[in-house]
Every structure is written in structure tokens, then in C-alpha cells.
Amino acid sequence: MSSAQETNIHKRNATIQEVARRAKVSVGTVSNVLNNSNAVSGLLQRRVEQAMRDLNYHPNNHARSLKSRRSSVIGIVISNITNPFFPLVLRGAESVIVRHGYMLTIFNTDDDIERERQIFSLLRTHRVDGMLAVVAPNPANDIAHIVQAIDMGIPVVCLDRTPHGLNIDSVVVDNVRGSAMCVRHLVDLGHRKIAIINGSSWLQTARDRYKGYEMALDEANIKIDRNLVREGDFRFDSGYKMTKDLLLNHPRPTALFVANGTMGLGALQGLNELAIHCPEQIALAVFDEIPGGRMLRPLITSVIQPAYDLGVKAGELLISRLTGKMSPDPVTITLQAELIIGESTIGSGRAAISRRSKNVLRKRK
Amino acid sequence: MSSAQETNIHKRNATIQEVARRAKVSVGTVSNVLNNSNAVSGLLQRRVEQAMRDLNYHPNNHARSLKSRRSSVIGIVISNITNPFFPLVLRGAESVIVRHGYMLTIFNTDDDIERERQIFSLLRTHRVDGMLAVVAPNPANDIAHIVQAIDMGIPVVCLDRTPHGLNIDSVVVDNVRGSAMCVRHLVDLGHRKIAIINGSSWLQTARDRYKGYEMALDEANIKIDRNLVREGDFRFDSGYKMTKDLLLNHPRPTALFVANGTMGLGALQGLNELAIHCPEQIALAVFDEIPGGRMLRPLITSVIQPAYDLGVKAGELLISRLTGKMSPDPVTITLQAELIIGESTIGSGRAAISRRSKNVLRKRK
DNA sequence: AAGGGATTCGAATACGCTCTCAAAACTGTG
DNA sequence: CACAGTTTTGAGAGCGTATTCGAATCCCTT
């Protein structure tokens, strides 16, 4: 089997020069067939292509980018790929971006704004053509790095979250409405003491989900009880701890609304340990999909976000910025979430539900 | 709010030249402070840094790479980030790679070997410094693209799977042993008719998991019944369909070993629809983690892979190749999986839980 | 055969940076 | 103060490609 040590004959990549020489043609001509800019006669074209094959030529993207000022690379900055929401987003974005000839470079911020700044700087050094960003919570609301990127002509599309006070291209889920829809469902079932376990209020997402909660309760003339409002960090542990805390204290809620899937899993764990049954003893509804949730019993009522579509739309928006002909005004695309009603809130017979949930109870937008 | 239209004063990035001019210093000196190669006196150093700040200078990585022949980019090629196994791997790899100053570029092959080839070519055009690759099933075993990359001095570390017949750096899970351990557990519980739902036998991974199955049965002098061996594609649907198929035909297995998590979820769905209870009517064990599985009841017996660690180890291996001082011989690192015994095979837990839930229900009514 | 227009080709330059190497500026010593 | 030794600085040559624009070639017409 061949390996680097044996075959280090051509350790260097072939250059356009060498291709030209071998095809008995000038460098310019090779460049032309590469980018089929100027028409090249069939004969030369074939000769060049043959030479490229012979030399196993791979054009040097760095030289190309240096000259052309386009890198064909797009940076995507997310909070944490380990959160099951993001692989779908990534995949959606990738599907459109790759189709347009770009590469995707990925970074996790872990929701650390300082890290986000470093990453933006790095991406600028690498001269990416555009960025997709799930912005980190930003207490000081210091968005200079984003503004600067845009000012330098690098389109930035915000995904899932929007920095406060910055009018910028973005693709988001209608968190207010999704959340309201879900809480309304709980209200409709007769619940009055509905607790919420939310994420950090530094995140627009969390604020919006709270707003939806507020709206639904307002509509029903239910006064918000601060004791039933908890702020976690969108991680398993905070879902777990806050659930236990809520249920061991007064007033004890009859329904629990958890603002994301991972905390939702934590909540389930908590309920489990307390041997509190759902929906008999408490109703549970979750914003976001619970990983592997469709096999859970009871099936959890949840607000499903169009994650893949979010990525696709963001990718498309970025591409149309890149290809130029768009009004320069920032655009915001809002996607609707879908409420899937499971057994964790209505709690009737299991067989009936799983059948019905597919056909009837799925509220479409 | 600032935006591209208003502030397009410096649409062009500052260059090292401009920094030099502003700091009243030569280009070489600026370069030296950038890479602190030649010691630069404190005074000039400060002047240069100030100038960089003033001009908001971001060095052009393309120019740098063109000259230095190092891109500081590593490509990672996986089959599908949507498979929950991979985000962890990615994160593990990222954690070490970023720490060493590299960027990560990601591609999904969807297990399409042709796509893999295109991606390798693209990565070479972009002159990545190294690659991490989860190779696609490769019926013709045509690995020229991998060999070529290595021959050109681009280290490639294979992750999770190894191309057949190619001795190459790789980090894998001990699939044979993990699988054998799991099937042995089923045998120990007295099962003789143990079915397996495997992935494509083009994948080393799948072949190894089968080998473990075979070993465990051999040890127990159980003859393999081809009717109990199924080959799927590691996706939900094949787990679902094959489970139904297995359980509606003869001989009917008393235990089911599913070779990955996603198919495991499918199997659960299948059992659910057939109203076949686990573990009373069938024992279920799964290689790989089921998404959100820790909340499932019964808890599924599973072989947990060290996904994050796999990424870390692969990243470290690649980095040490990159930094040079390693024996040039290919290295294979094998990580062990862990068998977590749940209620889906031993069933005591399950009985306890379902009994408890009934009591509670009664109490409430 | 010659002229003119349309097509195709190629020499040369610039892109922004690193890195070598010689010159310049210091330092200390006799 | 002269000189050797040491540190610090800067000029310049590429890295591999895209692109411009004049030159060369081709194809028709007359």
C-alpha cells in the first residue's frame, strides 16, 4: 500500500504554470478554462484538461482568493453543536451553501460573547465571504464586531437570535407566538398555576418565550406568580433542578412549561425522581423538540421548531446577499413553530393518542 | 445604527503596508510583531500594535498561506451531522484543534463515496493542513483520493471507520468487543434466538459489530440463524421495518440486538406498534446511544461509545502529525465502549416501575 | 488576395504576506 | 575613541492565481 514516505516524489502541488507548460499554452489560457471566462477553443480546452489530469492539478484557493478577493468560504457561528437543535440548522444551511460552491467553517461559542468576538476576528482574517451567526447572550449589548463585519462588506445573517437594537438580516422562529400557543393550550385545559422554566433572559429567544407565556396568561386573566417563573440556562441540569425546586415548594404548579428541549429532558428526570406522574399530577409542555422524544411515554406536548428550514432560509438569504442583487435593507424572516399535542398534557389513552396525534391534533400553520 | 451603506469609507481591509506606514516602520517589522519571529524592540512593538488597532487590521490569511504554505484549516468529513453520534465527535475534535490555532471546515458525505471524492478534491484546492474523515462505504474499495492526499503530505486521520486494506492513522471504537459484550449479556440471560439488525456490510463498523455478535454466539455454541440476521442502513426506517418484519415471521427471536442508536429508536417504534412489550416479550439491546435515551422507560440496555473522546483523540493525533515529531508509521487508537445494562433486557426495573405507576393512578382516582 | 472584423491567446502585473539577508544601530571593551 | 560583537531593522524576492489589454489568428467578404 502506498504511503507518504514511499511516494514523496511530487510533494509539491502542481501549479497553473506547470499545467500551462505541459499543455503548451499560456497561464492565462489555463486560467480561462478553469473559470471558463474567455472562450477557449475546443482543442486547447481539451489539451489543458488533459494536462490538469496528468498533473493531478488542484488550483490553489489561497492564490485565487488573494487575487479575486473572494474566498468561497462561509463561516457559521453557533452556540453549541451538541444541542440537538443545531445539527439540523447546520445541515439546512450547508445544503444550500454547498450547492452554490461555498465551504462551511464552523465554530462553537458556548454562548460566550468574548469567544464570539475572537471568532469574528478569526473569520475576518480568513476573509470569509459571509457569516451565519447564532449570537451569544450579550449583556453589554456590544455588537461592534458584527457591525464592523457588515461595514467591511461581509454579509452577516443572524440565525435563531437577533442582537438587540441592531437591524440586520435574520431568520428567526416566532418564539412569542409558539410559546403563547403552547401556554394557551395549557390554559384551555383548565390550568391556572402554570410554571415556566426559561433560559437566560440575556437571550432574545428566552425573553420572547417568556413574552408568549405572559400573553397567554394575560388573555386568560391569570396573574403571573413570580414564584412560578424560573430562569435557567437551557441546559439539562437547570431543567432538572428547577423542576424539583418548583415541585417541592409552594405554590405547587399544576402545569409546567419548559422553554427548551434539553431542559425538558432535565424536567422529566426531575419528575421521575420525585415520582410525580405526568399528566395525572402535572401537565408538561416543552418548547423545542426533546431528543428522541417521539419514543417517550407519555409523548410530550411540544412546540416544534423548523430547524432545518431555519438553516435553509438563512443560507438562501446569505447567498442572495452574496450574489448581490438585493435591496440593501436588512430583511427578517420569521418562521412559525408547530404545536404537537402529546399525552403529557391531555393524558387520555395511549393508543388513541398516538394515532390521533398524527392526523388530527397536529396544528398546522 | 451604523451599517454598510453609511460607513463604506474603508471598504478595503487595511494591509500590512498601511500598518507599516502608519507605524513608521517597515513591512518586515510588522510581520515580525505579528508572528513574533525576530525580536522587536518594545518601542516599535507598541507603535505597531497601536497602528494595527487604529486601522482595525486583520491580516489576510490567504496571502499568509500562499507564502507560508500553511492554511491553518483542517477539514472534517463526516457522514451526517444529523446522526447524534457526530456532534459529539465534532465537538471533541474542535476542542483540541481550535486550541492549536486551526479552523475546522465541515462536510457531510451522506455516506456517498462519490461525494467524498469531490470533498477531498475541494479540500485540497483549499490547501487544508490536514483532514479528519469518517469514510463512506466504498464497495469498489477505491481509496485513491485518500492515498493521494497523504502522498501530498496532508495528514489524514480516519475516524470511527477505517478504509479496508489501507494502513492509515485512525481512531476507532472496539466494535467487535463492544458488540460481543452486549450479545454475551443476552446469552447470559438465557436467550438463544437473538436477532441482529445491522448496518450496511460495506461499512467496517457494521462488519465488526456483526463479528462480535458471531463471536458471542459461537462461544455459547449457538448456531447463527440467517433468518435472524438483517442488514439495514443505520437509519430509523430500517430499524423500524426490520423489527416488524422479524417479529411477524418465524422463527421469532426472544432478543433483539440493534447495531446503532437511530435504528434502535426505529425498533422501539416497531415494538410499540406491535404492542410487544419489552423486556417481557422480547429483550432489546442497542449498540450506540439512543437520543434522549436516558429518559426512556424501559431504560434500554446499550453499548455507549466514547464519541467525544473519539474526536479528541483524533484531533490530537492529527495535531501531532502536523507538528511533526512523530514516527511516520500509521497509528491506530482503539477506544473501548461501555455496556450499560438497562431494563430492556433484565426487566426488574420495568416491572417495578409499571407496578408503581399503577398504584399511583389508583390512588389518585 | 487583401482587407476588416471577430475571436482567441499570452505577457505582464498585482494581490498581501513571509522570510532571507545585508545594513544599520546599538553595546561593551581595550 | 576605535573596533568587534550583538541586536534590530528594512528592502526585496517570491508564493500561485486572475485579469487586462495588446497581439496574433481566424473567418468572411469583396
Side-chain angles (χ1 to χ4, degrees), chain A residues 259-284:
Chain A
N260 90 331
T262 313
M263 289 198 304
L265 260 188
L268 278 173
Q269 173 98 327
L271 293 180
N272 215 45
E273 287 184 11
L274 296 174
I276 291 180
H277 285 270
C278 177
E280 295 89 347
Q281 298 170 276
I282 191 160
L284 175 67

Side-chain angles (χ1 to χ4, degrees), chain B residues 314-349:
Chain B
E316 287 173 350
L317 183 47
L318 188 58
I319 293 290
S320 51
R321 281 287 173 223
L322 252 22
T323 51
K325 308 300 177 249
M326 245 185 94
S327 140
D329 304 320
V331 167
T332 296
I333 299 176
T334 303
L335 303 181
Q336 293 303 325
E338 186 185 1
L339 176 65
I340 305 273
I341 296 178
E343 303 144 350
S344 70
T345 50
I346 57 173
S348 55

Side-chain angles (χ1 to χ4, degrees), chain A residues 76-93 108 133-135 158-161 171-175 205 209 234 259-262 287-292 303-312 335-337, chain B residues 81-82 84 87:
Chain A
I76 183 167
V77 183
I78 65 181
S79 71
N80 180 0
I81 190 68
T82 275
N83 174 338
F85 175 69
F86 290 115
L88 283 167
V89 174
L90 177 64
R91 204 59 216 278
N108 296 283
V134 177
V135 296
C158 282
L159 244 162
D160 191 44
R161 311 170 183 168
V171 182
V172 295
V173 173
D174 191 339
N175 283 294
T205 308
R209 289 178 193 169
F234 278 155
N260 90 331
T262 313
F287 198 112
D288 207 350
E289 189 156 5
I290 293 191
V303 180
I304 305 293
Q305 305 186 76
Y308 185 85
D309 220 37
L310 203 72
V312 169
L335 303 181
Q336 293 303 326
Chain B
I81 189 68
T82 274

